[in-house]
Each structure stands twice: as C-alpha cells, then as structure tokens.
Amino acid sequence: MIPLGFALIILIGAALLLLPVASADGHSAGPLTALFTSTTSVCVTGLVVVDTFSYWSLFGKIVILLLIQIGGMGVVMITSLFMAIIGQKISIRDRALIKDSFNLNSMSGIVGFLKKVAKGIFIVEGAGAVLYSIRFIPMFGFIKGLWKAVFTSVSAFCNAGIDVLGPDSLVPFWDDPLVLLTTMFLIFFGGLGFIVWFDLSDTLKKTGRKKGSLYGYFRRLNEHTKLVLTLTVFLILFGAAVVFLIEKDNDATLGKMPLGYKILNSFFQSVTLRTAGFSTVPQGNLREVTAFISCLFM
C-alpha cells in the first residue's frame, strides 16, 4: 500500500506538471522532466534536471511544494488525516498500516498521534517561515518574500533541498547567520523523526520543574532517542571538523571567508549532508577528499 500510494502521488504530480500552465514559458514540459521532478519532490531527494526557480510557473512551484509536503509527511499520514477530518472511521487495517508506517509499538491512540504529528510539523515549519520572512520580505517584497519563506521552510524541514531563491541554492547567503541557522534547525528537526520528537516532549513533561542536570534528562529518554541524538550530534560535529580542516584554505569554497563564517559554513555543510540538498559553497569546488568523505556521510 505504501509504495503504491507514493507511485500514485508521483503520477498525479507528473500529470499536473505536464500542463502548460505549470511551465514559466507556457509550453508543456517534457514527460521525463515532469516525471523526474515529481519523483524527486515526493521522495525529497533534492535532485533536479531543470532550474526550479526559472523553469516552473507559480502553479508549477505550488505543485512541487505540495508534493514535497506530502513526501515529507508521508502518503499514509496524509490519507489518514484526510479521513479523520471528513469524519470517516479509520479501520483496523488502516491503523495497522499507520503503525507499520511510523514504526509504532501499538495501534492505540493512532488518530491522536497523527494530529500531534501534523500540529508539530506545521508549528516548526511556521516558525521557520517566520524567521526566513525577516530576511526575505525586505529583499523580495511582502508577497514574494513570504512565498519564498514558506517554500524554503517546507523544503528544509522535509529535507528536500529544492528552493525558489535562485540558481545557486543558498550560496548567496553564506554570510547570513539567520538564514543558515534557520535552515540547519529545520533540517535537524526534520531529520530526527516524530518518535524522537514526542519522546523529548513527553520526558520533559514528566520531568516537570524538577531540578536536574541535562545528563539526567538525557538518561530518562528511551534508547531509540538516545541513539538518534548521540549519532546525529556526533556526525554533525565530526563532519564540520573534517570540512573545516580540509576546506579552510580552499579559496573556491571556505578559503576567503572570515574565521567565524568558515566555522558556520562548515557546520552547514555537515548538516546538509543529512540528505538536505542545500549548499552554501559550490559543491563542484570541494576538494576530492572532502567530496569522498561527504559521500560516506550521506
């Protein structure tokens, strides 16, 4: 059911992107271009064969944004939420499918879980859009700035890496801590997974106002959360250190940046290797050893 659901969404997305109204020049995109773009959007890979910024019309970009959101949230979750909204009863079979999709231990409280997930997603994406708006609205105007903020926030949270800012990803923002830190925050939280989210939240509620160390709080988390957090933080720190040491003297990437920005962009490069797809330095200019290590991290 899950792969069939993804295949159906991909085909619907490709059909919409084939419409002449989806292209900026008013001509229908090629079938392979439409299918590839739909697939990369739903599967949030970040690979594109045409420039998203200039090739697609507003309609096409909205379709791509919806496909990214569906892919990030999951077809099963979108379908189940829609059923819950229209008041249709979720069957035992559907509950079992949701349980398998999210690797849950029980089928009890499935609807409540889905609502919590949806609420959490839109809160985090909304916060990202607000932070991006601080920078993008003065640059592009209110409507365009808000649109770019929303699109970038959804794309970053879903780890899609597709943007409508321009042809060079986030390279023009290499010296903008607000944009870079917001993107890193969204990638990090989007990659943790919903189970980790709720364990962090539930443990914090159980701990309440009891005074204790951060280590004490960490010990109360379940083993899955501990493993995810430990490995994620380790990989980010180690990756940033490797990128900094190898690229700090490469004038085509970090070499000409002040020390603080070298560190910030090293961390960004490490975080984006979590399959986010964004970049603040031209990836083709990375030294071969950095590119090889990046492959291992990805």
Side-chain angles (χ1 to χ4, degrees):
M1 290 295 294
I2 294 172
L4 285 174
F6 271 95
L8 179 61
I9 295 297
I10 287 169
L11 291 175
I12 292 173
L16 291 173
L17 292 176
L18 270 173
L19 297 174
V21 70
S23 300
D25 61 4
H27 295 90
S28 177
L32 192 58
T33 298
L35 182 61
F36 188 97
T37 303
S38 181
T39 305
T40 196
S41 300
V42 174
C43 299
V44 291
T45 62
L47 299 170
V48 293
V49 290
V50 293
D51 183 11
T52 307
F53 170 73
S54 60
Y55 187 86
W56 302 105
S57 66
L58 177 61
F59 174 80
K61 292 170 185 174
I62 291 174
V63 171
I64 291 171
L65 178 63
L66 292 175
L67 293 174
I68 291 171
Q69 186 72 84
I70 292 171
M73 294 178 70
V75 174
V76 173
M77 179 182 171
I78 293 289
T79 305
S80 302
L81 275 175
F82 178 74
M83 290 170 62
I85 290 171
I86 64 176
Q88 185 173 340
K89 186 177 180 180
I90 300 178
S91 67
I92 296 296
R93 184 189 180 198
D94 294 329
R95 291 175 185 270
L97 186 62
I98 297 168
K99 172 180 172 292
D100 290 342
S101 177
F102 288 97
N103 295 315
L104 301 176
N105 296 320
S106 171
M107 288 193 294
S108 62
I110 288 289
V111 176
F113 172 80
L114 292 176
K115 290 180 179 178
K116 284 175 63 178
V117 170
K119 182 179 179 182
I121 289 173
F122 291 121
I123 287 175
V124 175
E125 289 180 347
V130 169
L131 291 172
Y132 280 133
S133 294
I134 296 174
R135 184 68 71 243
F136 294 161
I137 287 178
M139 290 179 64
F140 303 106
F142 183 79
I143 300 298
K144 285 187 177 180
L146 185 60
W147 158 246
K148 291 177 185 293
V150 171
F151 191 105
T152 308
S153 182
V154 173
S155 183
F157 176 80
C158 295
N159 286 196
I162 300 173
D163 70 88
V164 291
L165 297 172
D168 301 315
S169 187
L170 297 181
V171 173
F173 298 92
W174 66 267
D175 59 347
D176 193 325
L178 176 62
V179 173
L180 267 58
L181 290 173
T182 299
T183 307
M184 290 163 66
F185 163 83
L186 290 167
I187 294 169
F188 177 79
F189 273 91
L192 286 181
F194 307 126
I195 305 300
V196 175
W197 280 21
F198 297 138
D199 187 38
L200 289 170
S201 176
D202 293 342
T203 303
L204 185 62
K205 290 177 182 177
K206 291 176 182 177
T207 305
R209 296 183 179 180
K210 295 179 182 178
K211 293 182 179 180
S213 64
L214 184 62
Y215 177 70
Y217 169 73
F218 181 78
R219 288 185 61 186
R220 295 185 181 94
L221 299 170
N222 67 43
E223 294 304 318
H224 172 77
T225 303
K226 291 178 185 177
L227 183 64
V228 170
L229 290 176
T230 302
L231 287 176
T232 299
V233 171
F234 170 76
L235 289 172
I236 289 174
L237 292 175
F238 184 66
V242 169
V243 172
F244 177 80
L245 291 174
I246 299 175
E247 295 292 328
K248 62 183 175 66
D249 297 322
N250 181 2
D251 287 345
T253 55
L254 304 180
K256 296 181 179 180
M257 297 180 185
L259 178 60
Y261 288 112
K262 287 183 180 180
I263 295 173
L264 177 61
N265 283 270
S266 296
F267 269 98
F268 188 95
Q269 179 72 15
S270 182
V271 171
T272 201
L273 292 178
R274 194 184 175 97
T275 77
F278 291 106
S279 62
T280 57
V281 295
Q283 299 299 285
N285 294 340
L286 294 172
R287 288 173 171 159
E288 289 187 358
V289 63
T290 308
F292 175 72
I293 293 172
S294 295
C295 287
L296 297 180
F297 272 83
M298 290 188 287

